[in-house]
PDB file of all heavy atoms in Angstrom:
ATOM      1  N   THR E 533     126.608-139.251-217.010  1.00  0.00           N
ATOM      2  CA  THR E 533     125.324-139.322-217.708  1.00  0.00           C
ATOM      3  C   THR E 533     124.898-137.978-218.276  1.00  0.00           C
ATOM      4  O   THR E 533     124.450-137.888-219.423  1.00  0.00           O
ATOM      5  CB  THR E 533     124.240-139.855-216.757  1.00  0.00           C
ATOM      6  OG1 THR E 533     124.630-141.150-216.292  1.00  0.00           O
ATOM      7  CG2 THR E 533     122.899-139.960-217.464  1.00  0.00           C
ATOM      8  N   GLU E 534     125.039-136.909-217.493  1.00  0.00           N
ATOM      9  CA  GLU E 534     124.637-135.580-217.943  1.00  0.00           C
ATOM     10  C   GLU E 534     125.350-135.183-219.237  1.00  0.00           C
ATOM     11  O   GLU E 534     124.764-134.570-220.126  1.00  0.00           O
ATOM     12  CB  GLU E 534     124.941-134.549-216.840  1.00  0.00           C
ATOM     13  CG  GLU E 534     124.560-133.120-217.214  1.00  0.00           C
ATOM     14  CD  GLU E 534     124.992-132.112-216.151  1.00  0.00           C
ATOM     15  OE1 GLU E 534     125.745-132.488-215.227  1.00  0.00           O
ATOM     16  OE2 GLU E 534     124.581-130.950-216.266  1.00  0.00           O
ATOM     17  N   GLN E 535     126.616-135.544-219.329  1.00  0.00           N
ATOM     18  CA  GLN E 535     127.410-135.218-220.510  1.00  0.00           C
ATOM     19  C   GLN E 535     127.162-136.205-221.647  1.00  0.00           C
ATOM     20  O   GLN E 535     127.234-135.849-222.824  1.00  0.00           O
ATOM     21  CB  GLN E 535     128.895-135.226-220.138  1.00  0.00           C
ATOM     22  CG  GLN E 535     129.850-134.825-221.249  1.00  0.00           C
ATOM     23  CD  GLN E 535     131.283-134.792-220.755  1.00  0.00           C
ATOM     24  OE1 GLN E 535     131.568-134.268-219.668  1.00  0.00           O
ATOM     25  NE2 GLN E 535     132.185-135.360-221.524  1.00  0.00           N
ATOM     26  N   ALA E 536     126.855-137.458-221.287  1.00  0.00           N
ATOM     27  CA  ALA E 536     126.696-138.510-222.299  1.00  0.00           C
ATOM     28  C   ALA E 536     125.378-138.427-223.055  1.00  0.00           C
ATOM     29  O   ALA E 536     125.328-138.731-224.247  1.00  0.00           O
ATOM     30  CB  ALA E 536     126.817-139.889-221.644  1.00  0.00           C
ATOM     31  N   LEU E 537     124.296-138.031-222.384  1.00  0.00           N
ATOM     32  CA  LEU E 537     122.977-138.055-223.017  1.00  0.00           C
ATOM     33  C   LEU E 537     122.899-137.217-224.302  1.00  0.00           C
ATOM     34  O   LEU E 537     122.347-137.688-225.307  1.00  0.00           O
ATOM     35  CB  LEU E 537     121.899-137.617-222.019  1.00  0.00           C
ATOM     36  CG  LEU E 537     121.639-138.612-220.877  1.00  0.00           C
ATOM     37  CD1 LEU E 537     120.562-138.066-219.926  1.00  0.00           C
ATOM     38  CD2 LEU E 537     121.215-139.977-221.409  1.00  0.00           C
ATOM     39  N   PRO E 538     123.452-135.987-224.332  1.00  0.00           N
ATOM     40  CA  PRO E 538     123.427-135.241-225.598  1.00  0.00           C
ATOM     41  C   PRO E 538     124.229-135.939-226.704  1.00  0.00           C
ATOM     42  O   PRO E 538     123.867-135.840-227.890  1.00  0.00           O
ATOM     43  CB  PRO E 538     124.067-133.899-225.230  1.00  0.00           C
ATOM     44  CG  PRO E 538     123.885-133.774-223.761  1.00  0.00           C
ATOM     45  CD  PRO E 538     123.987-135.175-223.236  1.00  0.00           C
ATOM     46  N   LEU E 539     125.289-136.659-226.327  1.00  0.00           N
ATOM     47  CA  LEU E 539     126.099-137.375-227.314  1.00  0.00           C
ATOM     48  C   LEU E 539     125.356-138.608-227.824  1.00  0.00           C
ATOM     49  O   LEU E 539     125.398-138.915-229.023  1.00  0.00           O
ATOM     50  CB  LEU E 539     127.440-137.784-226.704  1.00  0.00           C
ATOM     51  CG  LEU E 539     128.307-136.646-226.161  1.00  0.00           C
ATOM     52  CD1 LEU E 539     129.610-137.205-225.612  1.00  0.00           C
ATOM     53  CD2 LEU E 539     128.578-135.611-227.229  1.00  0.00           C
ATOM     54  N   ILE E 540     124.696-139.324-226.922  1.00  0.00           N
ATOM     55  CA  ILE E 540     123.901-140.492-227.319  1.00  0.00           C
ATOM     56  C   ILE E 540     122.834-140.070-228.322  1.00  0.00           C
ATOM     57  O   ILE E 540     122.609-140.734-229.336  1.00  0.00           O
ATOM     58  CB  ILE E 540     123.262-141.154-226.077  1.00  0.00           C
ATOM     59  CG1 ILE E 540     124.350-141.816-225.219  1.00  0.00           C
ATOM     60  CG2 ILE E 540     122.204-142.184-226.491  1.00  0.00           C
ATOM     61  CD1 ILE E 540     123.860-142.312-223.873  1.00  0.00           C
ATOM     62  N   GLU E 541     122.201-138.930-228.037  1.00  0.00           N
ATOM     63  CA  GLU E 541     121.174-138.412-228.943  1.00  0.00           C
ATOM     64  C   GLU E 541     121.801-137.905-230.240  1.00  0.00           C
ATOM     65  O   GLU E 541     121.307-138.191-231.339  1.00  0.00           O
ATOM     66  CB  GLU E 541     120.401-137.282-228.264  1.00  0.00           C
ATOM     67  CG  GLU E 541     119.303-136.693-229.133  1.00  0.00           C
ATOM     68  CD  GLU E 541     118.530-135.588-228.431  1.00  0.00           C
ATOM     69  OE1 GLU E 541     118.712-135.410-227.211  1.00  0.00           O
ATOM     70  OE2 GLU E 541     117.744-134.898-229.113  1.00  0.00           O
ATOM     71  N   GLY E 542     122.901-137.164-230.124  1.00  0.00           N
ATOM     72  CA  GLY E 542     123.534-136.576-231.300  1.00  0.00           C
ATOM     73  C   GLY E 542     124.058-137.617-232.272  1.00  0.00           C
ATOM     74  O   GLY E 542     123.890-137.479-233.494  1.00  0.00           O
ATOM     75  N   PHE E 543     124.675-138.674-231.745  1.00  0.00           N
ATOM     76  CA  PHE E 543     125.205-139.739-232.595  1.00  0.00           C
ATOM     77  C   PHE E 543     124.145-140.790-232.949  1.00  0.00           C
ATOM     78  O   PHE E 543     124.429-141.734-233.668  1.00  0.00           O
ATOM     79  CB  PHE E 543     126.393-140.440-231.915  1.00  0.00           C
ATOM     80  CG  PHE E 543     127.660-139.635-231.922  1.00  0.00           C
ATOM     81  CD1 PHE E 543     128.158-139.093-230.747  1.00  0.00           C
ATOM     82  CD2 PHE E 543     128.358-139.424-233.096  1.00  0.00           C
ATOM     83  CE1 PHE E 543     129.330-138.354-230.745  1.00  0.00           C
ATOM     84  CE2 PHE E 543     129.531-138.686-233.115  1.00  0.00           C
ATOM     85  CZ  PHE E 543     130.027-138.146-231.930  1.00  0.00           C
ATOM     86  N   LYS E 544     122.942-140.619-232.376  1.00  0.00           N
ATOM     87  CA  LYS E 544     121.847-141.575-232.580  1.00  0.00           C
ATOM     88  C   LYS E 544     122.292-142.998-232.226  1.00  0.00           C
ATOM     89  O   LYS E 544     122.003-143.967-232.934  1.00  0.00           O
ATOM     90  CB  LYS E 544     121.333-141.509-234.028  1.00  0.00           C
ATOM     91  CG  LYS E 544     120.721-140.147-234.385  1.00  0.00           C
ATOM     92  CD  LYS E 544     120.225-140.116-235.809  1.00  0.00           C
ATOM     93  CE  LYS E 544     119.439-138.843-236.114  1.00  0.00           C
ATOM     94  NZ  LYS E 544     120.186-137.607-235.846  1.00  0.00           N
TER      95      LYS E 544
END
Side-chain angles (χ1 to χ4, degrees):
T533 301
E534 180 185 10
Q535 183 177 315
L537 291 179
L539 302 181
I540 291 171
E541 180 179 350
F543 285 110
K544 297 180 172 56

